[in-house]
Amino acid sequence: YAWTQPLTEIFNEPYAGSIPGVFNGPLSGSQINEQLTDTIPVLVKGDLLANFESDPKYEFIIDAQIENSLIDWVPLTPMYMYHGDKDSTVPYQNSESVYRKLLSNGASADDLHFINLPGATHSSGIIPYVEDVFQHLMDLIPDL
């Protein structure tokens, strides 16, 4: 995006200083994760979290979100969305908002399913998600 804002305006230390060396190419996703935190308020500046939707100095973030939006479409086949309500990595509200947006775009409530995983975090939700997806796939294959 050719952003010119210093990382110290977006991220808290020690992350602002270490991010350029973490995303330099040779590290795997898990190695990057080990050097960061999955607690957003620890990673991201409090002012940005509190004001990014209303403070003009954060417009560049809103613009990037709009450019990268994946919600201006309508699913035409059954779609299952899963989210743990204790996920601190990806806010639960994100999935709720996407679900509502896809419905308002014209998705059928019969085909679009939002499944809450009560008490599940970003990690602990994996098993119940896989089990449920597997069951839906098995339902598609009647003779197994």
Side-chain angles (χ1 to χ4, degrees):
Y1 297 105
W3 291 348
T4 57
Q5 296 76 8
L7 293 178
T8 53
E9 289 184 15
I10 300 170
F11 300 103
N12 293 314
E13 291 295 354
Y15 307 106
S18 66
I19 284 174
V22 172
F23 289 94
N24 61 358
L27 299 179
S28 69
S30 61
Q31 290 171 318
I32 291 169
N33 287 343
E34 289 171 6
Q35 295 187 39
L36 298 176
T37 177
D38 65 357
T39 306
I40 300 302
V42 173
L43 179 65
V44 178
K45 291 282 191 178
D47 183 64
L48 186 148
L49 290 174
N51 301 306
F52 83 95
E53 292 180 300
S54 59
D55 191 328
K57 74 180 179 183
Y58 298 124
E59 263 182 33
F60 69 99
I61 294 173
I62 300 296
D63 292 344
Q65 288 178 324
I66 291 168
E67 183 177 337
N68 286 296
S69 175
L70 300 174
I71 59 174
D72 288 328
W73 62 287
V74 177
L76 300 176
T77 59
M79 179 176 159
Y80 294 84
M81 299 174 58
Y82 296 82
H83 208 125
D85 61 10
K86 300 295 183 210
D87 189 334
S88 63
T89 305
V90 177
Y92 184 81
Q93 187 78 22
N94 287 11
S95 290
E96 287 182 323
S97 296
V98 168
Y99 176 74
R100 286 193 305 273
K101 174 67 171 147
L102 292 175
L103 287 174
S104 73
N105 290 352
S108 164
D110 292 333
D111 287 336
L112 181 61
H113 308 275
F114 180 58
I115 294 110
N116 173 32
L117 302 173
T121 66
H122 200 72
S123 297
S124 68
I126 293 171
I127 299 290
Y129 153 73
V130 170
E131 290 173 344
D132 196 64
V133 165
F134 184 75
Q135 186 57 54
H136 288 294
L137 292 172
M138 293 302 295
D139 292 344
L140 295 173
I141 307 169
D143 294 328
L144 282 182

